Amino acid sequence: MKPQSNIFVYIELDKLVENLTLNPLRSKQYLKSQAGRFGLIPIRYFSAKLSGEWLNITKTLNISEPNRHNKIKNTRNAAVDSIDQMSPQECQELTLKICDLFEKVKLEFM
C-alpha cells in the first residue's frame, strides 16, 4: 500500500477547490472567501510526497502551521491580508496550485 494523505485532506481540499474560480477577475474574491480553510489542514495530514506543496501554498499566504495557540481566525486574517496584496494573476496562479494539489491527492485515493 502506497503512503497517502489523510482522507481529511481530500475532503477539505475538495470543499476548497469547489469554492474557487480560475476567472482572473474573481479569483481574489473567491480565495478570500475561503481563507479560513487554509488553517484547517495541518501539513502532517499530507503524504510526504505532497506535504511540500501544501507548505509552499501556506507560505505564500504567510500562514504558519496551526497549533493550539494559533487560532483559525488569525490564520484567516493572515491569508486575507496576503491575498489582498496579490495581483489577479498571482491569485489565479495560487488557485491553479491548489487545484493541481487536489488532483494529486485524488490520485492517491485511486
Side-chain angles (χ1 to χ4, degrees):
M1 183 174 186
K2 64 182 179 178
Q4 65 184 36
S5 300
N6 186 297
I7 189 70
F8 179 75
V9 168
Y10 178 89
I11 292 167
E12 288 302 316
L13 279 179
D14 184 39
K15 291 176 189 176
L16 177 60
V17 168
E18 170 180 305
N19 291 296
L20 296 179
T21 183
L22 292 173
N23 178 329
L25 300 176
R26 304 190 116 221
S27 60
K28 180 181 283 204
Q29 175 187 350
Y30 280 62
L31 279 168
K32 285 171 47 176
S33 73
Q34 296 301 306
R37 289 205 182 274
F38 292 102
L40 293 176
I41 311 171
I43 196 168
R44 70 181 179 276
Y45 286 6
F46 284 89
S47 65
K49 182 178 175 184
L50 299 179
S51 61
E53 290 185 46
W54 184 246
L55 181 62
N56 287 335
I57 289 168
T58 56
K59 279 186 175 181
T60 300
L61 297 173
N62 295 315
I63 299 171
S64 60
E65 179 70 12
N67 60 42
R68 60 190 164 130
H69 301 293
N70 184 10
K71 305 274 189 249
I72 296 299
K73 181 179 178 184
N74 293 336
T75 299
R76 184 189 184 292
N77 291 341
V80 169
D81 290 346
S82 297
I83 294 164
D84 273 337
Q85 296 176 22
M86 297 170 74
S87 70
Q89 182 180 353
E90 290 171 320
C91 289
Q92 187 180 28
E93 289 171 6
L94 179 60
T95 299
L96 282 170
K97 287 179 184 178
I98 295 165
C99 292
D100 182 52
L101 177 58
F102 177 58
E103 289 303 315
K104 292 175 183 176
V105 168
K106 275 197 324 193
L107 288 174
E108 290 183 336
F109 286 90
M110 294 184 155

